[in-house]
Amino acid sequence: MELWHIIDLKTGTAVQHQRGAANGISMTAMFLFKAIGPAAGGTMHK
């Protein structure tokens, strides 16, 4: 849940005509880390 609050704060600080790009970049980063996180955690656990 905290991640959505960070995205909301970032969106509020972006200039209005740049909000779409800022949201796209943050969503891309979020989904990349969500995909990489479990694999990285699994390799560290062994």
Side-chain angles (χ1 to χ4, degrees):
M1 270 310 212
E2 293 82 17
L3 182 62
W4 294 109
H5 296 292
I6 293 170
I7 291 170
D8 286 341
L9 287 173
K10 180 233 5 112
T11 302
T13 59
V15 181
Q16 186 172 2
H17 69 275
Q18 294 178 340
R19 285 184 188 163
N23 284 335
I25 291 168
S26 66
M27 287 292 169
T28 301
M30 181 181 70
F31 288 118
L32 284 174
F33 284 113
K34 285 177 82 172
I36 294 169
T43 59
M44 289 181 194
H45 186 270
K46 291 184 179 183

